[in-house]
Amino acid sequence: MLDCRNLVVTYESTPVLQNLSIYIGAGEVVALTGPSGSGKTTLLRCIAGLEVVDSGTIFLSGEEITPKPAHLRRIGLVFQDNQLFPHLNVAKNISYSLMIQGTKQKLMDEKVAEVLELVGLTHLSQREVFKLSGGEAKRIAVARALVAQPKVLLLDEPLNGLDKELHARLLADLGTLLRLRGTTTLHVTHDQDEANAIADRVLDIRNLMSH
Ligand code: ADP
Ligand code: MG
C-alpha cells in the first residue's frame, strides 16, 4: 500500500532521514516510535508531500507519488495540536477538503454526517471549533482527516498532552475506528505503551535507516 524506499532528507548538511525504507500493507495500523528529533515528523511530512526528499521514492497503491503535490496524494494527516481552522465551524472544517475538490453540496453533507457519526459527534456539527473540549477537537481532527477517504492516514503524536483518562478513551476509540474502516495508518508516538496498544506492528525509526 504505502512503500517508501531509501528516503534521504538533509537539513543544512545534517542528515535527518538516512536511506529510510518503510512498508505498510493495506489496512495495517503501524506505530512508529523513536526519540525526539529522530525524524518522525519529517518522515510524515515527506509522505504527505509537505517536504521534498533529497532522494528516494514513495509509492502509494503501486503508483509513484514522490513528485506529486500534497493535495493530490490522498493522504490524511492529524497533528498533535489538531490545526483546525479557527474561523470555520465543525462541519465546515470537516468539509473543507471536499469543497476544494469541488464536491457537490449534497454529497458533501452526506460525507460530513457519516464521519461525524463515526466519531460520535453528530450533535456538534454547527459548533464553533474554539468552543470544543480537547477530546472533541481531537475527534473532529480525525473526522476531517478521514472525510476524503484517504488511502493512508498519518497521525503525528495525536494523543500527546491529554490527561490520562481522556488519553485512554481516545486511544481505544481510535483503534476501534481504524479497524472498523480498515484504514491504513501510520501512527507516530514516542509512547511505547500507546504504540503497543494501537498497532498491528511497532517500528522504531532508527531501525528503518541504513548508514
Ligand atoms: P521528531 O518528529 O522525531 O521529533 P523531526 O522530524 O521533527 O523529529 O526533526 C528531526 C530533526 O530535523 C531535528 O533535529 C530537527 O531539529 C530537524 N528539523 C526539522 N525540521 C527542520 C527544518 N525545517 N529545518 C531545519 N531542521 C529541521
Ligand atoms: Mg515530531
Side-chain angles (χ1 to χ4, degrees), residues 83-90 92-93 96 99 126-130 144:
Q83 301 195 11
L84 297 175
F85 308 121
H87 57 295
L88 299 177
N89 69 18
V90 164
K92 291 211 163 75
N93 260 274
Y96 188 82
M99 192 188 72
Q126 300 307 309
R127 179 80 52 96
E128 297 301 326
V129 292
F130 56 82
R144 184 178 66 172

Side-chain angles (χ1 to χ4, degrees), residues 11-12 14-17 34-43 45 51 156-157 188 205:
Y11 290 131
E12 293 144 15
T14 308
V16 176
L17 303 184
S36 180
S38 59
K40 303 182 299 298
T41 294
T42 302
L43 172 62
R45 290 175 54 81
E51 191 80 57
D156 194 358
E157 314 222 25
V188 164
I205 192 168

Side-chain angles (χ1 to χ4, degrees), residues 130-143:
F130 56 82
K131 292 181 184 162
L132 298 171
S133 72
E136 289 165 351
K138 185 60 64 186
R139 290 173 200 271
I140 296 306
V142 171

Side-chain angles (χ1 to χ4, degrees), residues 8-122:
V8 175
V9 172
T10 304
Y11 290 131
E12 293 144 15
S13 76
T14 308
V16 176
L17 303 184
Q18 303 184 63
N19 275 311
L20 182 146
S21 297
I22 182 171
Y23 176 83
I24 303 176
E28 231 188 339
V29 177
V30 171
L32 184 68
T33 60
S36 180
S38 59
K40 303 182 299 298
T41 294
T42 302
L43 172 62
L44 295 193
R45 290 175 54 81
C46 291
I47 296 169
L50 303 173
E51 191 80 57
V52 179
V53 294
D54 300 341
S55 62
T57 43
I58 303 171
F59 295 89
L60 188 57
S61 310
E63 178 202 359
E64 189 183 345
I65 59 163
T66 327
K68 234 182 191 187
H71 68 284
L72 299 177
R73 287 192 183 198
R74 306 258 336 251
I75 285 173
L77 198 46
V78 175
F79 305 92
Q80 181 182 338
D81 61 354
N82 302 326
Q83 301 195 11
L84 297 175
F85 308 121
H87 57 295
L88 299 177
N89 69 18
V90 164
K92 291 211 163 75
N93 260 274
I94 296 174
S95 63
Y96 188 82
S97 63
L98 299 173
M99 192 188 72
I100 297 291
Q101 292 168 14
T103 309
K104 293 218 163 58
Q105 189 67 47
K106 184 162 175 291
L107 183 60
M108 213 151 68
D109 292 345
E110 284 168 15
K111 288 188 177 231
V112 170
E114 186 205 333
V115 289
L116 271 175
E117 192 178 337
L118 188 73
V119 298
L121 293 180
T122 303

